[in-house]
Amino acid sequence: MGLFKKDTVLDEDQVLEVLREIRDPGWDEDIVTRGLVKDLKLAEGNVSLAIEFDTPLFPGKLQIQHQAEDKVRQLPGVTRVSVSMRSNISTRAGSEPHALIPRTRNTIAVASGKGGVGKSTVSANLAISLGKYGARVGLMDADVYGPSVPILMGAFEPPIMDRGRIQPPEVRGIKLMSMGYFLPKDEAVIWRGPMLHKMVQQFLGDVDWGELDYLVIDLPPGTGDIQLSLCQTIPLTGAVIVSTPQGLALEVASKAIAMFKKLNTPILGIAENMSYYACSHCGERDDIFGHGGARRASQKAGYPFLGEIPLSTTIRARSDDGQPVALEDGNSPISRAFTELAEAVASQVSKVNAQTTPAISIEE
């Protein structure tokens, strides 16, 4: 039994042939080779099909839809064309659900080699951007030394226990977990490795995350016990490295990259935060920390460059107020920067998932 239903008037091969002229902008392949064309049906001059992407955000969505409609409509005998667009978020090829998070499709670690690069802000806005386009998203704050996710997300109601499981707070559709919910104000965490390892396992296995397409994990800066415990506990889909443009930050970021390589965790790419400053009054741009360093570093290392996030008073103010800037509509340049980051990350996740060799979890 074939995938497509044939008709005596129109030939499905003709339809697929013209659709091969349309390329997926995130891949160097056409949409037919990518396996994105689904449910092709031909009946008395009517052609209907779906284009199903494996990410929630696919650039050029309307353009691809219009291209498909126009190309199919020009075929002899076609009287009506219906093209629907949908997504079915991928998971790692050949992988089995992990016992701790069996209903989570993808895990994305957001890391940096040093503090002060805005990693947590990037994590929160990445989660919001993915969720805004229909993905089911969780945000796990694994930065126990400086847990900031509750503040960034404006989510201060603590989790509750229900039938022996921790029920994570849910804000704007994003499920959250953070050590910030369990610490008295102004109290510091002073833990050794075994305690940190136990915390990672509890945040994964004891929390009722439910069905998630992406679990975004905000890591502490550096290459310490939490990073090691996380990679030893679950196979990560990949890591996003956040850096600022200047040479020092990039040099330290390279250490985070080296750590993930040793732990067999795919590098999804490098994002440049605080990439430039655009004055909200005069519009003049100032490259305070230099510019383009992360792009050059990613090209040199052979990893994707995921995008530039500006240094902005708006980002700072919205973060302090618990209203991530990614919540703004797509016409906002700053919100659009995070949307483009999320598009790039989701695209890289789908490419990692297309690989046949499963990620390796290093055992202690």
Side-chain angles (χ1 to χ4, degrees), residues 257-338:
I257 292 172
M259 175 196 67
F260 284 117
K261 287 176 65 177
K262 287 183 179 179
L263 294 171
N264 296 292
T265 297
I267 305 296
L268 300 176
I270 302 174
E272 185 171 275
N273 195 29
M274 307 181 198
S275 181
Y276 58 89
Y277 173 70
C279 179
S280 59
H281 301 291
C282 67
E284 287 293 320
R285 173 170 164 157
D286 189 355
D287 297 333
I288 295 174
F289 301 117
H291 181 255
R295 184 188 295 273
R296 292 189 294 273
S298 63
Q299 291 171 345
K300 182 178 179 180
Y303 296 116
F305 180 65
L306 301 174
E308 301 175 347
I309 307 299
L311 177 65
S312 166
T313 302
T314 302
I315 295 177
R316 192 275 306 161
R318 294 289 298 264
S319 297
D320 288 348
D321 291 340
Q323 299 285 331
V325 72
L327 291 168
E328 296 182 0
D329 62 47
N331 294 323
S332 160
I334 300 173
S335 177
R336 188 162 60 247
F338 282 112

Side-chain angles (χ1 to χ4, degrees), residues 220-236:
T223 56
D225 287 328
I226 290 180
Q227 288 86 340
L228 181 61
S229 291
L230 184 66
C231 293
Q232 289 176 335
T233 301
I234 59 171
L236 291 168

